[in-house]
Structure formats: structure tokens, C-alpha cells
Amino acid sequence: MGNSTILTAIWMEETLHEPMYFFLSMLAISDLGLCATTLPTILKLFWFNDHEIDFDVCLVQMYFIHIFSMMESGILLSMAFDRYIAISNPLRYTAILNSTSTVKISMGFVSRAIIVLIPAPVLIKQLKFCEANVLSHSYCLHPDIIRLSCSDHHINNFLGLTVIIITFGVDSVLILLSYVKILTTVLGIASQKERVKALNTCVSHICAVLLVYIPLLGVSIIHRFVKHAPPMVQVIMGYVYLLVPPVLNPVVYCIQTHEIHMKNSHEFDCKIFKARRN
């Protein structure tokens, strides 16, 4: 509901048809994609007590879960670039981030996620699985599946680590560099009021980055380095990784982004007025 509200507000309000809000709508779409991908197996497990999933269906779910996660990372990098241009070079903002370049950037991180993940299910199909194929989560993740293999899966481990480094790793470094440049520019502003105003435009994006990268880091560390972690820790981190960002991202952006907040408040007031009038 929260992500759908953001998409509706951006779609209906022409003043929000800007690169920043286009990237925000892409973030909402990726959050919706994560929920739509994971929800079927979660509901099947908790509503119908059905603990089984077909191997091929599991691979498809795994593929799309990781695609939407990588899309989120690419979107957050794009939003960091948007904030960097808006603060460091505002006069050229519309020339650099026009509708054409925005679409190209979006197609770039979507294509990257699709292409780099193609080898993952192909290599998993070559593995042998014996007995006790019990997943750690209510959905399928790459490190969780290969952990169950009774054949050599070093190539799969190497592939997973490589994909994380060239996507989430590179993105996080570039986001950090963007904020170093932003901070350098902001500190050069003479007025303290203007410095606070400039930094305030980055608060919601920083929160979104932390909401995505901290759970991701936690899940990756548990699966790859903490082999004997209690099962409950893996379960909790898995749900935090996939369900917390889609829930909190709309809350953060609706509170911090004045234009979206005003748009939603206006629609809410109109509905109350019509209800009273009737």
C-alpha cells in the first residue's frame, strides 16, 4: 500500500515528473517486485502449512529475488548521483539528468541485474542434491540453495561472491564517493541555513541506503562466514533483508519528501471532505 501510494502520487502529480521522483518510483517498483516474488511461498507456508517447493520454481524465485535486490542497489546509486548533481552542479542539473539520460540509466541497472544473474541458475542446475533439502528461509536465496548441495559448489560460491562485489560492492563504493563529494560541496557553502537545507535533501536517501545494505550485509555474512549461527538468527535476518526495506522506504520518503507528503495529505483531505458531504 505504501509503495503503491508513492507510485500513484508521482504518476498523478505533474510537478513530481522529475529524475529524483522517477528513481523513487523505480525503487517502489523494485520493492513491490520483491514482495510479489516472496509472498506466494510465505503465504503458502504460513496459511496452508505447505513446506515444499519445486526445484525449478525455487530457481525462478531465487533469480527474481536477486534481480530486484540488485535493481534496488542500482537505483540507490542513481539517486546518489542525482543528489550529487543537484547539490554540486545545480545549473546543469536539467541538462545532465534529462528524461533521455534518466531512462538510459534505469535501463542500464535493470540490464545489469538480469545479465549478471543468468549464470547462477544454470550452474545450480549442474549440482547434485541428496537428502534433507531444507531451506533456511521461506523463500529461495542463492547461498541457501548451494549450501544444500552434496557436490562440489566452489564455482557457485565464487560466482555469488563475484556478483556481490561487482554490483553491491561497486555501488556502495560509488555511493560513498558521491556523498564525500556532496559533503565537500556543502561545507563550501557559506550560509549554515543553506548547508542544512542541502543536507536535508539527502536524509531520506541515506536512510534508504542503510535499510538495504545493512540487512544485505548481515545475510551475506551469516550464510558465507558464520556457518554455525542459530537457525533463528538466519530466519530473522532473512525476513529483515527482504521485508523491512519495502515497508520502511515509503514511510521514510513520505515523511522526508515534502512534495509527496503534501500530495498525499491533499488527497486525504479531499476524501474526508467528500465523506462528510455525503
Side-chain angles (χ1 to χ4, degrees):
M1 288 178 62
N3 287 289
S4 298
T5 300
I6 285 182
L7 286 173
T8 303
I10 293 174
W11 177 268
M12 295 180 62
E13 187 62 41
E14 292 187 3
T15 57
L16 300 182
H17 294 176
E18 299 177 3
M20 172 185 171
Y21 298 106
F22 177 79
F23 291 135
L24 179 56
S25 65
M26 292 291 292
L27 184 64
I29 290 172
S30 66
D31 284 339
L32 288 172
L34 274 175
C35 293
T37 305
T38 56
L39 216 57
T41 51
I42 293 177
L43 295 181
K44 186 177 72 169
L45 174 64
F46 287 102
W47 282 5
F48 304 106
N49 201 30
D50 187 351
H51 293 260
E52 294 184 356
I53 182 172
D54 183 77
F55 180 61
D56 291 328
V57 174
C58 187
L59 290 184
V60 170
Q61 185 185 52
M62 176 209 75
Y63 183 71
F64 281 101
I65 284 176
H66 290 297
I67 277 182
F68 286 117
S69 296
M70 289 182 187
M71 278 179 57
E72 275 198 330
S73 179
I75 294 164
L76 292 173
L77 174 58
S78 304
M79 296 174 81
F81 179 67
D82 172 271
R83 291 298 83 207
Y84 166 67
I85 298 298
I87 293 174
S88 301
N89 203 347
L91 296 179
R92 296 193 59 202
Y93 178 81
T94 54
I96 296 173
L97 282 175
N98 50 45
S99 57
T100 303
S101 60
T102 303
V103 171
K104 287 181 179 179
I105 291 172
S106 303
M107 292 301 295
F109 60 68
V110 171
S111 301
R112 181 191 68 171
I114 293 172
I115 292 170
V116 299
L117 281 170
I118 289 176
V122 175
L123 289 175
I124 289 177
K125 291 282 284 187
Q126 313 303 317
L127 297 177
K128 292 181 180 180
F129 295 87
C130 304
E131 298 178 357
N133 295 322
V134 181
L135 297 169
S136 303
H137 309 289
S138 307
Y139 42 81
C140 302
L141 294 178
H142 181 266
D144 200 18
I145 296 175
I146 63 176
R147 177 183 60 84
L148 300 175
S149 171
C150 55
S151 59
D152 182 48
H153 51 262
H154 285 91
I155 295 178
N156 302 77
N157 271 324
F158 178 75
L159 172 68
L161 189 60
T162 303
V163 168
I164 287 178
I165 291 173
I166 65 176
T167 53
F168 293 101
V170 172
D171 290 350
S172 59
V173 170
L174 292 177
I175 289 171
L176 181 62
L177 290 176
S178 297
Y179 273 100
V180 169
K181 297 289 289 183
I182 288 172
L183 193 59
T184 303
T185 303
V186 169
L187 291 177
I189 301 175
S191 170
Q192 183 177 355
K193 183 179 179 180
E194 291 299 321
R195 287 201 298 266
V196 173
K197 183 178 178 181
L199 289 175
N200 191 49
T201 63
C202 302
V203 171
S204 42
H205 178 257
I206 293 173
C207 291
V209 170
L210 295 177
L211 284 171
V212 170
Y213 278 94
I214 290 178
L216 170 69
L217 186 62
V219 170
S220 299
I221 289 175
I222 286 174
H223 277 293
R224 284 183 168 79
F225 304 110
V226 187
K227 301 295 184 181
H228 302 290
M232 184 58 69
V233 174
Q234 295 185 7
V235 171
I236 292 174
M237 284 305 301
Y239 283 124
V240 169
Y241 162 57
L242 284 187
L243 299 181
V244 169
V247 171
L248 294 185
N249 278 337
V251 175
V252 169
Y253 275 98
C254 282
I255 291 174
Q256 285 291 328
T257 308
H258 176 72
E259 291 82 357
I260 293 179
H261 179 74
M262 292 301 295
K263 174 65 178 175
N264 291 335
S265 299
H266 174 68
E267 288 180 354
F268 182 69
D269 291 341
C270 290
K271 290 175 183 177
I272 292 177
F273 174 76
K274 289 177 182 178
R276 288 175 179 172
R277 185 177 179 182
N278 292 336

